[in-house]
């Protein structure tokens, strides 16, 4: 037993054990990626199903047809005549139409100011909405039907607005409703729904958004209609992504999919996958598109503004060119509302965290979460390994551990044997050499100051990107972005030079800097994975090279400098600013238009929708990258760095 205890203690200095963490970290990354790639297979995904039995999707007969089509055409003709009017005039005319149906009508003005770089964008509009009080209800619950005047692509949603007016007139004649129905027509698909949702829940800023003069009960569900086509359509595109990666209850998505695809016989698609052969490749593409949309965290339609308030919402978008007409879409909405009308309580039975790979196949959080946790865990493994290594005495790293090392001095062996300690416990005796328990005091003030300071430094780009100052030289997002790109590229090298010149951090302090940085990165990504799996996975995968930042092992100074230069180039290619540039370049077709669009959209999402993706980028990802570049500079300038 004594020999076993002595052997365990000696493992602390075993060179083979010290070389294990990088391989274990790489293994976690590989398993996490492979885990994700296996999800589209039948063995890991499953068919969707309805958990809430009260919904009964597709079990009712719909009557929206026949003469209602003539009414729809009349409304569409009137809507087309409003195309060239201003937002106020359009809202007044639509309010008059809703009043003629016999509904209570109210209006709401709003005006948002958003910033991108140093450019200020003002968004103003006027929402009009009407409330149909349920004949069999007590005004404690409500369902919302939305048809934005302009859809998410900025197109006039003439058929969608006309369909809402027709359905309002149609629903008014029925006495089966147990929940109030709210008909909302916002000016656009982004600011208008957000202003209305904020004001409905009394979370608005009175300086920019008016309060609602009319309200109903708690919102149980929201369905938005997007039909900007001037011809018949082929399929229904269900848009379900919410703000900050939040998703509606899967039962609502399944209900819409079952009604449209089953009862109505329409094609159903998701994540802009117009053609889907149910093969592995299409499943994977659908899942990855959903992950990218979830990771970006931005609104995908007028429904997205309601999900942060725990109101399940989706958008039904008519796409393609086929034989389905507006009456089929109207019957789909009618059947969905009949199912929502059956709810006895809020959606809670089904999943709120899931990945869809086609309308009838998904994976739940228990299946896909380990992939993000494994990638986040690799940073924690390396952080612990670096922490242990930083406690080794400086002369311990100079001990010869390879088979090609010189023979040890017999006198040193005699000295070690003489200084060995005998430890007796529970009747057992162990011989412990001093090297097995020797530790070095860790000087943590400088590493902690550097890591914490760099994390707080992220407030600078976050503020510049999302706040504006009038009358500045930077009159558009593009100059601001180029300035920040140049600054963030040069700043790590400048700070590294200053640290190396004035503070001369020891090898132990360099190890501690990397350990603390990776520990925070792993901690943040692990917590983020439970809130926004996709964002955590994407940032973790892009940051994975930070776990393997090491000094070049070449004895040649020129070769060592070259290796560190290649590592620095790789980190710069994977920096947040570089990847944002690449994404904007691909979106804009190679011109500055894509960059301006991305920055303006991000500024609008931050100021209006309260998207916190920039917080994760500038306070979690960017500081970890910044520290990684600094470490390369410190290691390149100090040959005494202890290798991991």
């Amino acid at each position: 037993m004594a020999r076993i205890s002595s052997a365990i203690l000696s493992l602390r200095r075993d060179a083979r054990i010290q070389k294990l963490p990088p391989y274990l970290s790489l293994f976690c990354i590989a398993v996490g990626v492979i885990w994700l790639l296996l999800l589209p297979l039948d063995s890991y995904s499953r068919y969707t199903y309805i958990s809430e039995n009260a919904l009964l999707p597709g079990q009712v007969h719909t009557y929206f047809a026949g003469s209602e089509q003539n009414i729809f055409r009349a409304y569409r003709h009137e809507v087309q005549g409003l195309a060239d009017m201003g937002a106020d005039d359009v809202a007044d005319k639509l309010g008059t139409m809703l009043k003629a149906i016999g509904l209570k009508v109210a209006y709401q003005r709003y005006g948002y100011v958003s910033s991108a770089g140093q450019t200020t964008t003002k968004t103003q509009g006027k929402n009009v909405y009407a409330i149909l009080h349920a004949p069999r209800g007590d005004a404690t619950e409500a369902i919302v039907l939305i048809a934005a005047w302009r859809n998410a692509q900025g197109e006039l949603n003439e058929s969608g607005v006309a369909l809402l007016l027709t359905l309002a007139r149609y629903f008014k004649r029925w006495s089966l409703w147990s929940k109030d129905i709210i008909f909302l027509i916002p000016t656009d698909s982004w600011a208008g729904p957000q202003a209305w949702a904020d004001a409905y829940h009394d979370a608005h800023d009175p300086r920019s958004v008016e309060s609602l003069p009319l309200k109903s009960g708690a919102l149980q569900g929201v369905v938005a209609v997007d039909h900007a086509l001037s011809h018949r359509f082929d399929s229904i595109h269900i848009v379900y992504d919410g703000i900050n990666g939040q998703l509606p209850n899967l039962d609502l998505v399944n209900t819409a999919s079952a009604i449209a695809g089953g009862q109505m016989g329409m094609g159903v698609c998701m994540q802009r996958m117009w053609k889907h052969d149910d093969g592995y490749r299409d499943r994977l593409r659908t899942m990855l598109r959903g992950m990218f949309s979830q990771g970006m965290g931005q609104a995908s339609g007028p429904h997205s503004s309601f999900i942060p308030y725990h109101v399940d919402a989706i958008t039904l978008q008519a796409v393609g060119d086929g034989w389905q007409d507006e009456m089929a879409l109207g019957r789909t909405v009618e059947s969905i509302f009949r199912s929502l009308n059956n709810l006895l309580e809020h959606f809670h039975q089904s999943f709120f965290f899931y990945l869809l790979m086609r309308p009838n196949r998904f994976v739940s959080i228990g299946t896909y979460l380990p992939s993000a946790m494994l990638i986040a865990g690799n940073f924690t493994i390396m952080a612990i390994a670096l922490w242990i290594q930083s406690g080794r005495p400086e002369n311990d790293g100079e001990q010869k551990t390879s088979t090609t090392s010189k023979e040890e001095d017999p006198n040193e062996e005699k000295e070690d044997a003489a200084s060995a300690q005998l430890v007796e416990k529970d009747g057992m005796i162990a011989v412990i050499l001093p090297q097995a328990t020797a530790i070095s005091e860790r000087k943590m003030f400088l590493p902690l100051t550097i890591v914490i300071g760099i994390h707080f430094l992220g407030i600078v780009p976050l503020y510049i990107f999302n706040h504006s100052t009038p009358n500045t030289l930077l009159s558009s997002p593009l100059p601001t972005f180029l300035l920040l790109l140049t600054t963030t590229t040069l700043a790590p090298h400048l700070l590294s030079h200053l640290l190396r010149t004035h503070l001369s951090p020891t090898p132990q302090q360099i190890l501690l800097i990397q350990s603390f940085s990776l520990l925070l990165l792993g901690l943040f990504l692990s917590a983020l994975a439970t809130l926004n799996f996709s964002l955590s996975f994407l940032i973790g995968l892009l940051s994975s090279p930070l776990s393997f930042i090491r000094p070049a092992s070449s004895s040649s100074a020129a070769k060592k400098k070259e290796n560190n230069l290649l590592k620095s180039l790789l980190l710069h290619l994977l920096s947040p600013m570089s990847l944002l540039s690449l994404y904007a370049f691909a979106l804009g077709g190679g011109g500055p238009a894509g960059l301006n669009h991305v920055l303006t959209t991000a500024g609008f999402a931050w100021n209006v929708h309260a998207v916190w993706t920039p917080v994760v980028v500038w306070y979690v990802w960017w500081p970890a990258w910044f520290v990684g570049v600094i470490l390369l500079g410190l290691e390149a300038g100090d040959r005494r760095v202890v290798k991991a």
Side-chain angles (χ1 to χ4, degrees):
M1 191 67 181
R3 293 181 178 179
I4 296 177
S5 301
S6 178
I8 292 176
L9 289 173
S10 66
L11 289 177
R12 298 176 60 184
R13 306 300 175 191
D14 195 324
R16 293 170 296 181
I17 297 297
Q18 294 169 4
K19 293 180 180 180
L20 183 60
Y23 297 100
L24 184 59
S25 178
L26 181 62
F27 177 77
C28 290
I29 297 173
V31 172
V33 174
I34 294 174
W35 191 301
L36 185 75
L37 296 178
L38 292 176
L39 294 179
L41 299 177
D42 291 338
S43 301
Y44 299 93
S45 60
R46 48 179 166 166
Y47 286 105
T48 58
Y49 56 92
I50 303 295
S51 299
E52 179 57 73
N53 294 326
L55 287 171
L56 299 174
Q59 299 299 311
V60 298
H61 181 74
T62 55
Y63 297 93
F64 186 75
S67 61
E68 303 298 333
Q69 187 166 16
N70 297 326
I71 298 173
F72 167 81
R73 291 173 180 172
Y75 276 129
R76 185 170 61 181
H77 179 74
E78 294 192 37
V79 169
Q80 291 173 347
L82 306 177
D84 298 329
M85 294 185 179
D88 289 353
D89 294 334
V90 169
D92 293 338
K93 293 290 185 180
L94 294 175
T96 302
M97 298 179 192
L98 291 170
K99 287 180 181 179
I101 297 174
L103 303 176
K104 293 182 179 180
V105 179
Y107 305 89
Q108 179 201 30
R109 294 181 182 274
Y110 61 89
Y112 288 107
V113 178
S114 60
S115 305
Q118 300 295 329
T119 298
T120 301
T121 303
K122 296 183 179 180
T123 304
Q124 297 179 341
K126 185 177 181 180
N127 294 329
V128 56
Y129 66 100
I131 299 179
L132 170 61
H133 291 288
R136 300 184 178 183
D138 53 0
T140 58
E141 297 177 336
I143 315 170
V144 183
L145 178 61
I146 303 177
W149 181 250
R150 293 196 176 274
N151 64 6
Q153 290 73 36
E155 303 169 336
L156 181 62
N157 187 22
E158 57 180 37
S159 296
V161 174
L163 183 60
L164 179 142
L165 295 171
T166 308
L167 286 171
R169 183 179 181 275
Y170 174 75
F171 288 166
K172 182 69 170 58
R173 304 202 308 262
W174 286 84
S175 61
L176 52 84
W177 305 113
S178 61
K179 296 176 175 59
D180 292 351
I181 300 178
I182 302 176
F183 303 94
L184 172 62
I185 307 178
T187 303
D188 61 1
S189 295
W190 309 116
Q194 186 66 46
W196 195 90
D198 290 343
Y200 195 90
H201 296 89
D202 295 324
H204 64 292
D205 184 356
R207 295 173 298 178
S208 57
V209 178
E210 289 183 350
S211 300
L212 297 181
L214 289 178
K215 287 186 180 181
S216 181
L219 302 182
Q220 300 299 304
V222 177
V223 177
V225 178
D226 179 2
H227 186 7
L229 303 177
S230 58
H231 52 77
R232 292 173 178 261
F233 62 93
D234 175 66
S235 303
I236 291 294
H237 181 223
I238 301 178
V239 186
Y240 57 89
D241 301 293
I243 297 173
N244 292 323
Q246 294 176 290
L247 301 174
N249 190 273
L250 188 57
D251 267 347
L252 179 59
V253 180
N254 292 341
T255 298
S257 177
I259 291 174
Q263 183 182 12
M264 302 301 165
M266 300 180 183
V268 179
C269 56
M270 296 176 175
Q271 300 298 341
R272 306 184 69 83
M273 289 291 294
W274 315 128
K275 302 295 182 181
H276 200 299
D277 61 3
D278 198 24
Y280 174 82
R281 179 177 298 181
D282 283 351
R283 288 185 182 181
L284 181 62
R285 289 179 60 191
T286 305
M287 183 184 70
L288 293 180
R289 288 187 179 189
M291 289 180 58
F292 181 79
S293 178
Q294 185 183 23
M296 294 295 290
Q298 297 183 355
S300 57
H303 69 282
S304 300
S305 302
F306 294 85
I307 298 180
Y309 293 103
H310 304 288
V311 179
D312 303 291
I314 58 172
T315 293
L316 304 179
Q317 182 182 19
V319 296
D321 188 0
W323 56 274
Q324 302 287 353
D325 61 358
E326 299 81 4
M327 295 297 102
L329 181 58
R331 288 192 295 272
T332 301
V333 175
E334 177 191 358
S335 187
I336 294 175
F337 269 60
R338 295 281 294 274
S339 293
L340 296 177
N341 190 58
N342 295 335
L343 281 177
L344 301 177
E345 50 189 338
H346 199 79
F347 280 109
H348 69 282
Q349 294 279 2
S350 192
F351 298 95
F352 287 95
F353 298 94
Y354 51 86
L355 293 176
L356 284 167
M357 45 200 64
R358 64 164 305 169
N360 63 347
R361 202 160 194 92
F362 80 107
V363 288
S364 62
I365 184 172
T367 306
Y368 65 72
L369 186 61
S371 60
M373 288 299 186
L374 284 169
I375 292 182
N378 96 87
F379 301 111
T380 305
I381 292 173
M382 290 307 304
I384 295 174
L386 292 169
W387 170 264
I388 294 175
Q389 185 182 357
S390 67
R392 295 170 56 191
E394 292 188 5
N395 60 355
D396 189 41
E398 300 173 359
Q399 294 180 358
K400 307 302 180 180
T401 57
S402 62
T403 57
T404 60
S405 61
K406 298 180 180 179
E407 296 182 358
E408 297 182 0
D409 190 352
N411 294 328
E412 293 182 0
E413 294 182 359
K414 293 179 180 180
E415 293 178 0
D416 293 340
S419 59
Q421 297 180 358
L422 294 178
V423 179
E424 182 178 359
K425 185 176 181 181
D426 298 333
M428 296 179 292
I429 300 177
V431 180
I432 302 177
L433 297 177
Q435 294 87 348
T437 57
I439 59 173
S440 176
E441 181 182 359
R442 297 180 176 90
K443 300 178 180 179
M444 298 188 294
F445 178 76
L446 180 61
L448 284 174
T449 302
I450 293 175
V451 173
I452 295 176
I454 292 175
H455 275 79
F456 277 103
L457 191 64
I459 194 175
V460 176
L462 178 65
Y463 181 85
I464 292 176
F465 269 125
N466 299 302
H467 295 79
S468 64
T469 303
N471 302 322
T472 59
L473 295 176
L474 302 177
S475 57
S476 69
L478 183 58
T480 305
F481 179 82
L482 295 178
L483 176 63
L484 281 177
L485 178 62
T486 305
T487 304
T488 55
T489 302
L490 299 178
H493 300 282
L494 178 60
L495 183 57
S496 175
H497 175 73
L498 294 176
L499 290 174
R500 188 171 63 248
T501 304
H502 298 285
L503 298 178
S504 300
T506 63
Q508 182 198 69
Q509 290 175 325
I510 294 176
L511 291 174
L512 288 174
I513 291 173
Q514 187 177 15
S515 176
F516 293 151
S517 177
L518 293 179
L519 184 64
L520 288 177
L521 182 60
L523 173 66
F524 290 143
L525 292 182
S526 298
L528 180 63
T530 61
L531 301 175
N532 191 333
F533 160 82
S534 301
L535 183 60
S536 174
F537 182 89
L538 293 174
I539 292 181
L541 190 61
L542 294 172
S543 303
S544 56
L546 297 175
S547 296
F548 309 100
I549 296 298
R550 296 291 181 276
S553 58
S554 174
S555 58
S556 171
K559 187 67 175 178
K560 183 176 182 178
K561 185 177 181 180
E562 179 183 351
N563 290 339
N564 280 284
L565 182 62
L566 292 176
K567 295 176 183 178
S568 179
L569 179 60
L570 174 62
L571 288 185
H572 280 294
L573 291 176
L574 294 177
S575 71
M577 298 294 289
S578 299
L579 293 175
L580 178 60
S581 304
L582 181 62
Y583 171 69
F585 182 86
L587 187 66
L595 183 59
N596 285 327
H597 172 73
V598 170
L599 296 179
T600 303
T601 303
F604 182 86
W606 169 266
N607 290 278
V608 178
H609 291 142
V611 172
W612 42 256
T613 301
V615 176
V616 178
V617 172
W618 297 116
Y619 281 109
V620 177
W621 182 13
W622 183 77
W625 169 84
F626 200 102
V627 171
V629 179
I630 289 178
L631 288 173
L632 281 180
L634 293 177
E635 294 168 348
D638 193 341
R639 298 186 182 182
R640 298 175 303 149
V641 173
V642 181
K643 300 177 184 179

